[in-house]
Amino acid sequence: MQATGSLRCERAKTAAGWTGQRCQGLCTGARRTAAAPRAVAAPPDTAAAPEPSTAKLSVNRPQKDPEALQFRQLPTFQDCFPASEKHYREVEHEGTQLRVPFRRVSLTGGSGLFDVYDTSGPQGFDPRQGLPKLRSGWVAAREARGDAVCTQMHYARQGIVTEEMAFAAAREGLDPEFVRAEVAAGRAIIPANKRHLELEPCVVGRKFLTKINANIGNSAVSSSIEEEVEKLQWATIWGADTVMDLSTGTNIHETREWVLRNSPVPVGTVPIYQALEKAGGEVEGITWELFRDTLIEQAEQGVDYWTIHAGVLLRHIPLTANRLTGIVSRGGSIHAKLCLLDHKENFAYEHWDDILDICRRYDVALSIGDGLRPGCQYDANDAAQFAELLTQGELTRRAWEKDVQVMNEGPGHVPLHKIPENMRKQLEWCNEAPFYTLGPLVTDIAPGYDHITSAIGAATIGALGTALLCYVTPKEHLGLPDRDDVKQGVIAYKLAAHAADLAKGHPAAQRRDDELSWARFEFRWADQFNLSLDPVTARSFHDATLPQEPAKTAHFCSMCGPKFCSMNISQELRQLAQQGEQAQQAQQGEQHAAPAAPATEAGSAVQARAEPAAGEGGAPAGQEQSAEEGMQRMSQQFKEMGAQIYH
Amino acid sequence: MQATGSLRCERAKTAAGWTGQRCQGLCTGARRTAAAPRAVAAPPDTAAAPEPSTAKLSVNRPQKDPEALQFRQLPTFQDCFPASEKHYREVEHEGTQLRVPFRRVSLTGGSGLFDVYDTSGPQGFDPRQGLPKLRSGWVAAREARGDAVCTQMHYARQGIVTEEMAFAAAREGLDPEFVRAEVAAGRAIIPANKRHLELEPCVVGRKFLTKINANIGNSAVSSSIEEEVEKLQWATIWGADTVMDLSTGTNIHETREWVLRNSPVPVGTVPIYQALEKAGGEVEGITWELFRDTLIEQAEQGVDYWTIHAGVLLRHIPLTANRLTGIVSRGGSIHAKLCLLDHKENFAYEHWDDILDICRRYDVALSIGDGLRPGCQYDANDAAQFAELLTQGELTRRAWEKDVQVMNEGPGHVPLHKIPENMRKQLEWCNEAPFYTLGPLVTDIAPGYDHITSAIGAATIGALGTALLCYVTPKEHLGLPDRDDVKQGVIAYKLAAHAADLAKGHPAAQRRDDELSWARFEFRWADQFNLSLDPVTARSFHDATLPQEPAKTAHFCSMCGPKFCSMNISQELRQLAQQGEQAQQAQQGEQHAAPAAPATEAGSAVQARAEPAAGEGGAPAGQEQSAEEGMQRMSQQFKEMGAQIYH
């Protein structure tokens, strides 16, 4: 599970995870080099960028004195997934070897090994050093060729399968050409700024695994750089496919720099937040020029996608006047205020082409914001919301004309029966660009539990085709999430996204459910824990009533006890039936085929096992009679053996 | 908020909640009478019941020495809902005064008071005494009349609106006649055994508020009577509409007695569990006679509904042979084993008419079990499951012929896209009898979080019309839930049920969302907490970053801080617009109507406020222009005032 990387802390090389302590003695040398040489490793920006007035900030390395930061020790990958290890699958792509990450779960039974999609990134690196720059070579080659446009959509439309596409395809167990075609059509994006070299690319689109985003970032009243890096690491270890740094407090630039240099997943931002910070918190101080410079600054740092609320038009704002909760998007309300201050059109809409030019140069994907999303059930699916969505469609098509990758943001707060209309209109009005929704929350009465109210909406809209689900933590509406809230939000969304994948019929989705269910039926408790989203929690819940080690292989649990275990009775019946069959087959000289090789979540062979004879919902004709005969035999044997339920 | 009751502990009368300490001194007298006089208060069973061989157990009071039990102190009603009090609405029903419980929330602003549906039951009673017998008079009158059949369905079909119907209707803010008609048609049930006099009746049906059930009960390896009573109280305080006592360990009868005498909500059981315990844990020892006696014993105690797996037929069992996880219902597997032992038909199916006769005498509702429900995504919607459902329909119609109330149990584990088929077939095959589902879980990969995986399925199937949702706790598949797990499960299901009610368009549902959203928009933090499902948790999450009391009225929170608060900006815009309007109206001599009187969740007037002009999704023609003019004025004023975001 060692990943490559030249600048990592020496001590970390030997540890299962980064120790989190300030390095002393052994790694002093490595530590000294921390602040400097990153710029050398990054490829120079050969294309002439617009002149940013904040160019001095665009140095692509941590700004803050790394010595001054005090990172805490996080639980390691091994702590979180005791029976797992990092596994890299070697994939050749036009002469380049891609090392595609998976988390390999070791099982005590069944197929022995099970690989799952892994977002945790290279482990064991000191945040002061950042992650290794996986994409250096890929990007350098394009720069050397002098490519003026470097978006994945641009390459896809030229028929080129990039390393990013091949990498993302391998993670999903799909054909790279399929990924290319979806990106070319605008139905999928691969957010991958050419400056974010630490990225392990993934594909976001409705025909792929449903992805989840975790919001991190400080606010004026809370958090620090260390905490945000910690949340990033914590979110990705549990499965966040992307993160958004929504910092609105101090040190926005530096916080983002630390996040980017340590992020194996795409990083998104809402640039208007930093523009407001630069304007001293006064909305009226935000100008297009300030905003543009902020974009360039962030693009240089490597931000992979931007939420820009260009669809909040002046004429839409009056549509919110009779809402119960008005405008609830921070970015949306800032743009609305700017519009009203001068009674002028949204400058992001007016300067859309300029924005696209910046995106096109760095391959920053656009996540067209839903600044007028509803903030409560009452306001769901109203005129303001849909007016903006229609404009999002127009902006999407204009972006595609410049080969800029796009997704559309959506609500928010929507009751269950109004969710399908959102998906339907987005698909139709935005030409099937990936949809990226926040939840939605399906009721407003459960603050403190909005990771659940929104996971319900997220699973529902994900099953209908939403590509990226923005998580909500238990602290939503109440406070800034801490590390544990981040984990709760990520897990709730991982299960919602997975439920959506099952409903969509993604070929890789159901294997994990089947493997875990099989382990459950066979009382392989450890495998049941280790195949779950959160093995340590699952085990601790089992320990709460049956902590003894033998209970981890016992054929019952504390819910039912030994005599009431239905699975136990089921197994017993099945074993007896098999004994009867085997005896019969031995007489007839027949043999069952042995179970097949390792199962994996993504793309390779799945173990052959008890397949329902006729798939969903039907027994084959004629089976009933013979099965009934078998049951009679079994009944007789059962009684002969004493008919014990539990031995 | 004092409830009536003759046998309660004297000390408890003066306390906000029961203290949980052993009573000493003052209430010795009350305590001494605890074990005896309950039978006097209960009406005698004048109708000749079948002779139960276990008649000695049917004494309708706690068996175990109350002195030996050590109840712990639970957080009180006031602790859980600091700004709420019990409120009883007086409803006259044919000369009888019904006192219908609500929880009344005091608000700091807006409408002042908000009543919510309340399942917590009378507070402040010592479990050793049990709850007051609300239904004594109602049942006694029927007994005095000599009614041989006493089911709610029987009365409903005769055109009689019972006290139970009127009571349940008042809780929902609906017409009692509507409840009667739904019960008569079999589309709704009111589980209310004539021996469960402590019950506050509720109605379960698809046209009413979606109800939730909490499972409690011990197992062979865990729990005690005290813990089960505690779980009952804890589940109902948070909103469980029914509980099932699924005890499988020791003292099944006594545990149930304690539960019933302290339960304000319907109590269900799975009688085959006790039959198995009586048979010493040996399935082969269960006979029809033993089962029948168990039913009578439980009916005498006051059990309100029974899960009986009479739909598990001998011919269905072979259909499970190729399943991934076989039979996962405990009751289902016991019946299956019994079927196979003698290769005979399920005795519950064979003796269905005898079972109905018992139900008819006591008004025990039947919850026809889904013994062949799928135990994993792989097995969902298979032949075995639907074969049983078809039989459930047949059993339902037979029950109705005898005026016995029925609901049907359903899965279990079902991926999102296969949920609608379950509801569709149940409605069609079971003639619209209420559906009662366990979840369903929409993925199997998240043990430890199955309250969430199943809340997703529960909200989905609830929105489609499922009347009763059986909760799942975080411990599902892993261990026996403790008190905190019970709360987590109940809250997850309350929000899922409420999401379903919003989607179904129950007239009372959205008012609470609107009231809470309005409080949120007005920065009435305390009201936002107090209108939520779990005020203390919501407040504690807010306290985590902004513990100071002034923050509870601050116009921002820790998520965004003062300068980034969209709601604040929205409000500011709206206030300015209003100022402009008011100035205009003052010139024109107009007045706005004052906000109307108290809002309630159930049935009375809801406050008139910012109604969207054209409801869902449209601004009225012509509004856009005038609003835009208003915005221009506002823009000017805004700038004149200095355009401050936060003052």
Side-chain angles (χ1 to χ4, degrees), chain A residues 364-380:
Chain A
V364 180
L366 281 167
S367 181
I368 303 176
D370 57 335
L372 303 180
R373 66 172 174 266
C376 61
Q377 306 298 309
Y378 190 89
D379 294 338

PDB file of all heavy atoms in Angstrom, chain A residues 364-380:
ATOM      1  N   VAL A 364     -10.999  24.155 -15.666  1.00  0.00           N
ATOM      2  CA  VAL A 364     -11.853  24.231 -14.483  1.00  0.00           C
ATOM      3  C   VAL A 364     -13.275  23.927 -14.962  1.00  0.00           C
ATOM      4  O   VAL A 364     -13.752  24.551 -15.908  1.00  0.00           O
ATOM      5  CB  VAL A 364     -11.810  25.628 -13.834  1.00  0.00           C
ATOM      6  CG1 VAL A 364     -12.707  25.661 -12.596  1.00  0.00           C
ATOM      7  CG2 VAL A 364     -10.382  26.014 -13.473  1.00  0.00           C
ATOM      8  N   ALA A 365     -13.901  22.960 -14.333  1.00  0.00           N
ATOM      9  CA  ALA A 365     -15.286  22.654 -14.705  1.00  0.00           C
ATOM     10  C   ALA A 365     -16.215  23.653 -14.035  1.00  0.00           C
ATOM     11  O   ALA A 365     -15.921  24.155 -12.944  1.00  0.00           O
ATOM     12  CB  ALA A 365     -15.642  21.235 -14.281  1.00  0.00           C
ATOM     13  N   LEU A 366     -17.333  23.930 -14.685  1.00  0.00           N
ATOM     14  CA  LEU A 366     -18.301  24.852 -14.101  1.00  0.00           C
ATOM     15  C   LEU A 366     -19.449  24.080 -13.463  1.00  0.00           C
ATOM     16  O   LEU A 366     -19.992  23.145 -14.052  1.00  0.00           O
ATOM     17  CB  LEU A 366     -18.834  25.798 -15.160  1.00  0.00           C
ATOM     18  CG  LEU A 366     -17.867  26.940 -15.471  1.00  0.00           C
ATOM     19  CD1 LEU A 366     -18.292  27.659 -16.737  1.00  0.00           C
ATOM     20  CD2 LEU A 366     -17.777  27.911 -14.291  1.00  0.00           C
ATOM     21  N   SER A 367     -19.755  24.479 -12.277  1.00  0.00           N
ATOM     22  CA  SER A 367     -20.908  23.933 -11.581  1.00  0.00           C
ATOM     23  C   SER A 367     -21.867  25.116 -11.456  1.00  0.00           C
ATOM     24  O   SER A 367     -21.762  25.913 -10.534  1.00  0.00           O
ATOM     25  CB  SER A 367     -20.460  23.416 -10.218  1.00  0.00           C
ATOM     26  OG  SER A 367     -21.531  22.857  -9.521  1.00  0.00           O
ATOM     27  N   ILE A 368     -22.748  25.232 -12.435  1.00  0.00           N
ATOM     28  CA  ILE A 368     -23.580  26.435 -12.495  1.00  0.00           C
ATOM     29  C   ILE A 368     -24.528  26.436 -11.295  1.00  0.00           C
ATOM     30  O   ILE A 368     -25.341  25.524 -11.114  1.00  0.00           O
ATOM     31  CB  ILE A 368     -24.345  26.496 -13.824  1.00  0.00           C
ATOM     32  CG1 ILE A 368     -23.336  26.440 -14.994  1.00  0.00           C
ATOM     33  CG2 ILE A 368     -25.178  27.769 -13.898  1.00  0.00           C
ATOM     34  CD1 ILE A 368     -23.977  26.401 -16.371  1.00  0.00           C
ATOM     35  N   GLY A 369     -24.366  27.444 -10.475  1.00  0.00           N
ATOM     36  CA  GLY A 369     -25.020  27.465  -9.165  1.00  0.00           C
ATOM     37  C   GLY A 369     -26.530  27.608  -9.244  1.00  0.00           C
ATOM     38  O   GLY A 369     -27.082  28.094 -10.233  1.00  0.00           O
ATOM     39  N   ASP A 370     -27.162  27.152  -8.183  1.00  0.00           N
ATOM     40  CA  ASP A 370     -28.614  27.333  -8.062  1.00  0.00           C
ATOM     41  C   ASP A 370     -28.861  28.357  -6.948  1.00  0.00           C
ATOM     42  O   ASP A 370     -29.309  28.024  -5.850  1.00  0.00           O
ATOM     43  CB  ASP A 370     -29.339  26.019  -7.821  1.00  0.00           C
ATOM     44  CG  ASP A 370     -28.855  25.284  -6.590  1.00  0.00           C
ATOM     45  OD1 ASP A 370     -27.697  25.506  -6.177  1.00  0.00           O
ATOM     46  OD2 ASP A 370     -29.628  24.485  -6.031  1.00  0.00           O
ATOM     47  N   GLY A 371     -28.568  29.588  -7.267  1.00  0.00           N
ATOM     48  CA  GLY A 371     -28.652  30.659  -6.287  1.00  0.00           C
ATOM     49  C   GLY A 371     -30.074  30.924  -5.808  1.00  0.00           C
ATOM     50  O   GLY A 371     -30.280  31.524  -4.758  1.00  0.00           O
ATOM     51  N   LEU A 372     -31.045  30.462  -6.565  1.00  0.00           N
ATOM     52  CA  LEU A 372     -32.442  30.686  -6.184  1.00  0.00           C
ATOM     53  C   LEU A 372     -33.119  29.384  -5.765  1.00  0.00           C
ATOM     54  O   LEU A 372     -34.339  29.245  -5.855  1.00  0.00           O
ATOM     55  CB  LEU A 372     -33.200  31.352  -7.336  1.00  0.00           C
ATOM     56  CG  LEU A 372     -32.592  32.687  -7.806  1.00  0.00           C
ATOM     57  CD1 LEU A 372     -33.429  33.272  -8.950  1.00  0.00           C
ATOM     58  CD2 LEU A 372     -32.478  33.683  -6.656  1.00  0.00           C
ATOM     59  N   ARG A 373     -32.316  28.439  -5.302  1.00  0.00           N
ATOM     60  CA  ARG A 373     -32.911  27.180  -4.843  1.00  0.00           C
ATOM     61  C   ARG A 373     -33.827  27.454  -3.647  1.00  0.00           C
ATOM     62  O   ARG A 373     -33.620  28.418  -2.903  1.00  0.00           O
ATOM     63  CB  ARG A 373     -31.819  26.188  -4.449  1.00  0.00           C
ATOM     64  CG  ARG A 373     -30.993  26.592  -3.249  1.00  0.00           C
ATOM     65  CD  ARG A 373     -30.058  25.471  -2.790  1.00  0.00           C
ATOM     66  NE  ARG A 373     -29.182  25.930  -1.723  1.00  0.00           N
ATOM     67  CZ  ARG A 373     -27.955  26.406  -1.912  1.00  0.00           C
ATOM     68  NH1 ARG A 373     -27.452  26.496  -3.133  1.00  0.00           N
ATOM     69  NH2 ARG A 373     -27.225  26.816  -0.893  1.00  0.00           N
ATOM     70  N   PRO A 374     -34.824  26.596  -3.473  1.00  0.00           N
ATOM     71  CA  PRO A 374     -35.741  26.791  -2.345  1.00  0.00           C
ATOM     72  C   PRO A 374     -35.052  26.474  -1.022  1.00  0.00           C
ATOM     73  O   PRO A 374     -34.230  25.569  -0.948  1.00  0.00           O
ATOM     74  CB  PRO A 374     -36.854  25.781  -2.615  1.00  0.00           C
ATOM     75  CG  PRO A 374     -36.189  24.706  -3.429  1.00  0.00           C
ATOM     76  CD  PRO A 374     -35.154  25.408  -4.258  1.00  0.00           C
ATOM     77  N   GLY A 375     -35.416  27.204   0.015  1.00  0.00           N
ATOM     78  CA  GLY A 375     -34.834  26.991   1.331  1.00  0.00           C
ATOM     79  C   GLY A 375     -35.771  26.281   2.281  1.00  0.00           C
ATOM     80  O   GLY A 375     -35.475  26.142   3.474  1.00  0.00           O
ATOM     81  N   CYS A 376     -36.916  25.858   1.767  1.00  0.00           N
ATOM     82  CA  CYS A 376     -37.865  25.112   2.602  1.00  0.00           C
ATOM     83  C   CYS A 376     -38.845  24.394   1.687  1.00  0.00           C
ATOM     84  O   CYS A 376     -38.900  24.654   0.483  1.00  0.00           O
ATOM     85  CB  CYS A 376     -38.614  26.069   3.537  1.00  0.00           C
ATOM     86  SG  CYS A 376     -39.578  27.311   2.666  1.00  0.00           S
ATOM     87  N   GLN A 377     -39.595  23.478   2.274  1.00  0.00           N
ATOM     88  CA  GLN A 377     -40.560  22.710   1.485  1.00  0.00           C
ATOM     89  C   GLN A 377     -41.550  23.634   0.771  1.00  0.00           C
ATOM     90  O   GLN A 377     -41.950  23.394  -0.359  1.00  0.00           O
ATOM     91  CB  GLN A 377     -41.339  21.743   2.393  1.00  0.00           C
ATOM     92  CG  GLN A 377     -40.462  20.825   3.238  1.00  0.00           C
ATOM     93  CD  GLN A 377     -39.608  19.903   2.410  1.00  0.00           C
ATOM     94  OE1 GLN A 377     -40.122  19.222   1.525  1.00  0.00           O
ATOM     95  NE2 GLN A 377     -38.311  19.871   2.671  1.00  0.00           N
ATOM     96  N   TYR A 378     -41.919  24.671   1.465  1.00  0.00           N
ATOM     97  CA  TYR A 378     -42.949  25.576   0.958  1.00  0.00           C
ATOM     98  C   TYR A 378     -42.545  26.218  -0.363  1.00  0.00           C
ATOM     99  O   TYR A 378     -43.384  26.442  -1.244  1.00  0.00           O
ATOM    100  CB  TYR A 378     -43.191  26.660   2.012  1.00  0.00           C
ATOM    101  CG  TYR A 378     -44.382  27.549   1.766  1.00  0.00           C
ATOM    102  CD1 TYR A 378     -45.635  27.190   2.252  1.00  0.00           C
ATOM    103  CD2 TYR A 378     -44.253  28.741   1.076  1.00  0.00           C
ATOM    104  CE1 TYR A 378     -46.731  28.011   2.050  1.00  0.00           C
ATOM    105  CE2 TYR A 378     -45.347  29.566   0.869  1.00  0.00           C
ATOM    106  CZ  TYR A 378     -46.585  29.196   1.360  1.00  0.00           C
ATOM    107  OH  TYR A 378     -47.665  29.999   1.162  1.00  0.00           O
ATOM    108  N   ASP A 379     -41.250  26.537  -0.490  1.00  0.00           N
ATOM    109  CA  ASP A 379     -40.787  27.259  -1.668  1.00  0.00           C
ATOM    110  C   ASP A 379     -40.344  26.341  -2.810  1.00  0.00           C
ATOM    111  O   ASP A 379     -39.909  26.825  -3.864  1.00  0.00           O
ATOM    112  CB  ASP A 379     -39.608  28.171  -1.276  1.00  0.00           C
ATOM    113  CG  ASP A 379     -40.017  29.296  -0.333  1.00  0.00           C
ATOM    114  OD1 ASP A 379     -41.221  29.633  -0.304  1.00  0.00           O
ATOM    115  OD2 ASP A 379     -39.144  29.847   0.368  1.00  0.00           O
ATOM    116  N   ALA A 380     -40.445  25.024  -2.608  1.00  0.00           N
ATOM    117  CA  ALA A 380     -39.909  24.082  -3.596  1.00  0.00           C
ATOM    118  C   ALA A 380     -40.604  24.210  -4.954  1.00  0.00           C
ATOM    119  O   ALA A 380     -41.803  24.449  -5.031  1.00  0.00           O
ATOM    120  CB  ALA A 380     -40.043  22.656  -3.084  1.00  0.00           C
TER     121      ALA A 380
END
